[in-house]
């Protein structure tokens, strides 16, 4: 295990922001955790990095970045209906999706092509196309950076919410996730609630889509809507979709009949942050080397050599203008460092 000094992490974040970390280490084997954290005991500033697809670095990182590369996908149990799949936190998320499709294990096909690692998936309870990680989650294993001990978290302990978990709140930066175990279904369990997926299935005249057909449809929709981080720096949705009261929603609906929103379990209305940004005239808008993506206003892109600070300033301007026009406060989905 080699600790590198003063290295650029441009290639390790999908915004392609060029900042330096004064210490950087790749973690490939969990047996080294004790050794690693004993040796960096006196460095208080530590950051666990996966694929860097949900993070914005705004300045050089003064501390140690631990790039999680813990490997392995393993079936650790099963019954008539379910399998339990334990995966190393450093495994690429879509690789796990492909494994589950190959084996006909249902549950994560709707989460196809989400960038990043398996270990980061529980942090914000990744979700897309009618599915969320929490619905297939069993447990995860961690290394506690405060007392250098391993600890397992059951589903309830993770306090999953909309793009949220305990690891974004009171346990932020405290636990390094080493593996995640999912409970996937051996029996067909298609989730076809998302309108564009349904439409595509109808268009293709598929009667009963297979797990691989669903994944393929979702990959195609994603490729047509979202920028590829390998070609255009971005971190997906920059903001969460805000939840507002029914009164506020009806007020907005009266003035804007094209507003997109749906009722949540807690009797609020979740509305599209992309729609709010678009209505403020910021879809496709560019300032310097930062732009809101032309096909999806919620995605901010680095069109050249934008710094993290440039992207943050752009995001602040969006927040301000949405607040003034609609009285709604947007909250970041991505992690700002
Ligand atoms: C084009 C694009 C599309 C996207 N679409 C979606 C989508 O549809 N749905 C969705 O939910 N997200 C989406 N995202 C966001 C992102 O892909 C996910 O949040 C993903 O889970 C981040 O994984 P990562 O490994 O890149 O995490 P990173 O960006 O490396 O880290 C994110 C956070 O998790 C922490 N972290 C990472 N690994 C660990 C670990 N092992 N232990 C403890 N903490 C850790 C980091 O410290 C950081 O705070 C998209 C991003 C892009 C670029």
């Amino acid at each position: 295990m080699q600790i590198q000094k003063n290295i650029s992490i441009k290639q390790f974040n999908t915004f392609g922001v060029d900042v330096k970390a004064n210490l950087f280490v790749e973690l490939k084997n969990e047996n080294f955790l004790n050794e690693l954290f004993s040796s960096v005991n006196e460095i208080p500033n530590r950051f666990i990095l996966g694929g860097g697809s949900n993070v914005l670095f705004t300045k050089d990182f003064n501390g140690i970045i631990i790039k999680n590369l813990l490997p392995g996908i393993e079936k650790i149990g099963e019954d008539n209906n379910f399998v339990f799949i334990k995966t190393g936190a450093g495994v690429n998320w879509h690789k796990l999706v492909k494994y589950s499709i190959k084996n006909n294990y249902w549950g994560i096909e709707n989460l196809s092509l989400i960038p990043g690692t398996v270990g980061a998936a529980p942090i914000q309870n990744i979700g897309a196309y009618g599915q969320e990680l929490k619905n297939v989650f069993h447990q995860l294993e961690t290394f506690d950076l405060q007392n250098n001990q391993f600890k397992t978290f059951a589903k309830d302990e993770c306090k999953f919410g909309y793009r949220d978990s305990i690891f974004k709140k009171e346990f932020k930066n405290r636990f390094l996730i080493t593996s995640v175990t999912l409970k996937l279904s051996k029996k067909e369990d298609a989730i076809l609630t998302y309108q564009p997926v349904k439409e595509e299935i109808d268009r293709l005249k598929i009667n009963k889509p297979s797990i691989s057909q669903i994944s393929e449809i979702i990959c195609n929709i994603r490729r047509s809507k979202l920028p590829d981080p390998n070609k255009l720096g971005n971190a997906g949705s920059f903001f969460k979709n805000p939840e507002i009261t029914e009164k506020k929603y009806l007020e907005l609906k009266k003035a804007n009949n094209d507003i997109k929103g749906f009722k949540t379990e807690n009797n609020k209305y979740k509305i599209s942050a992309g729609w709010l940004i678009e209505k403020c005239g910021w879809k496709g808008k560019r300032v310097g080397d930062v732009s809101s993506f032309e096909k999806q206003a919620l995605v901010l892109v680095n069109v050249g050599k934008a710094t993290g600070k440039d992207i943050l300033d752009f995001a602040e301007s969006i927040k301000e203008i949405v607040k003034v026009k609609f009285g709604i406060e947007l909250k970041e989905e991505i992690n700002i460092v």
Side-chain angles (χ1 to χ4, degrees):
M1 202 178 31
Q2 193 201 349
I3 298 183
Q4 295 169 265
K5 285 189 181 156
N6 212 20
I7 75 151
S8 164
I9 50 167
K10 186 170 186 230
Q11 58 169 315
F12 300 121
N13 71 95
T14 60
F15 261 126
V17 162
D18 196 3
V19 292
K20 284 203 167 85
N22 60 341
L23 296 171
F24 180 91
V25 66
E26 292 186 335
L27 179 69
K28 296 181 179 161
N29 184 332
E30 67 178 58
N31 295 333
F32 291 127
L33 278 165
N34 259 314
E35 185 193 321
L36 171 66
F37 285 100
S38 313
S39 70
V40 297
N41 242 351
E42 72 291 356
I43 303 165
N45 212 7
R46 298 131 172 216
F47 187 79
I48 317 300
L49 186 66
S53 66
N54 198 27
V55 66
L56 176 64
F57 289 100
T58 56
K59 50 182 178 300
D60 287 343
F61 190 80
N62 182 19
I64 185 160
I65 291 188
I66 298 129
K67 169 124 179 95
N68 195 322
L69 293 171
L70 294 174
I73 302 180
E74 192 191 351
K75 180 161 85 179
I76 56 164
E78 66 184 308
D79 58 24
N80 286 341
N81 300 317
F82 295 101
V83 282
F84 292 84
I85 307 296
K86 179 175 170 179
T87 307
V91 171
N92 172 269
W93 172 261
H94 190 62
K95 186 177 173 190
L96 175 61
V97 173
K98 284 203 284 196
Y99 164 91
S100 76
I101 288 166
K102 190 170 154 223
N103 289 286
N104 228 21
Y105 299 151
W106 293 76
I108 53 174
E109 59 283 355
N110 288 36
L111 305 179
S112 292
L113 219 58
I114 295 182
T117 54
V118 170
I123 304 279
Q124 74 153 0
N125 177 27
I126 57 168
Y129 301 93
Q131 180 61 310
E132 280 184 304
L133 181 86
K134 70 171 184 182
N135 297 329
V136 290
F137 180 89
H138 177 60
Q139 67 178 34
L140 56 79
E141 282 163 8
T142 66
F143 187 74
D144 185 345
L145 306 186
Q146 217 161 73
N147 54 25
N148 292 3
Q149 272 176 9
F150 288 92
K151 175 172 165 53
T152 300
F153 284 78
K155 185 170 171 170
D156 286 355
E157 293 174 290
C158 296
K159 297 196 187 154
F160 290 123
Y162 164 57
R163 299 298 168 276
D164 206 12
S165 74
I166 197 163
F167 305 106
K168 277 187 107 172
K169 292 183 169 147
E170 55 260 55
F171 287 161
K172 195 173 165 71
N173 295 334
R174 170 153 170 200
F175 292 92
L176 184 155
I177 296 172
T178 55
S179 73
V180 177
T181 302
L182 301 183
K183 181 181 174 185
L184 301 175
S185 176
K186 285 166 137 179
K187 305 215 164 124
E188 193 220 296
D189 194 12
I191 300 168
L192 304 174
T193 47
Y194 193 78
Q195 195 56 27
V197 177
K198 263 197 270 184
E199 281 166 14
E200 191 55 9
I201 288 167
D202 290 346
R203 194 185 69 78
L204 296 168
K205 298 191 170 62
I206 302 171
N207 183 22
K208 205 171 170 218
S210 67
I211 190 168
S212 55
Q213 283 173 321
I214 294 172
S215 171
E216 209 177 304
I217 286 169
I218 283 168
C219 288
N220 288 338
I221 296 175
R222 292 184 71 96
R223 285 192 191 105
S224 72
K225 278 171 106 180
L226 293 167
D228 176 352
N230 293 318
K231 296 182 183 144
L232 195 56
N234 77 92
S237 305
F238 199 94
F239 300 104
K240 291 186 187 187
N241 290 319
E243 290 183 5
I244 56 175
T245 61
E246 182 165 26
K247 184 164 171 270
K248 179 83 188 170
Y249 178 69
L250 295 176
E251 243 172 53
L252 282 176
K253 181 104 187 138
K254 215 166 151 193
N256 311 272
N257 57 14
D258 62 332
I259 188 170
K260 294 165 190 162
F262 64 91
K263 206 167 184 170
T264 63
E265 285 160 6
N266 52 357
N267 274 339
K268 293 213 166 171
Y269 279 80
K270 192 185 277 178
I271 59 167
S272 157
W275 181 87
L276 291 169
I277 299 168
E278 196 175 335
K279 282 281 160 180
C280 291
W282 276 61
K283 187 176 184 180
K285 191 179 166 94
R286 177 170 173 176
V287 178
D289 271 351
V290 190
S291 168
S292 125
F293 188 52
E294 62 211 357
K295 293 187 195 162
Q296 169 52 277
L298 189 51
V299 178
L300 306 190
V301 294
N302 177 0
V303 291
K305 289 187 174 162
T307 63
K309 172 79 170 48
D310 296 337
I311 296 167
L312 192 62
D313 288 347
F314 188 94
E316 285 301 328
S317 302
I318 287 180
K319 279 172 86 169
E320 224 171 281
I321 197 161
V322 168
K323 175 87 184 170
V324 170
K325 190 167 166 70
F326 293 106
I328 293 173
E329 211 154 310
L330 291 179
K331 295 211 171 81
E332 288 80 10
E333 179 178 311
I334 70 159
N335 300 277
I336 296 177
V337 183

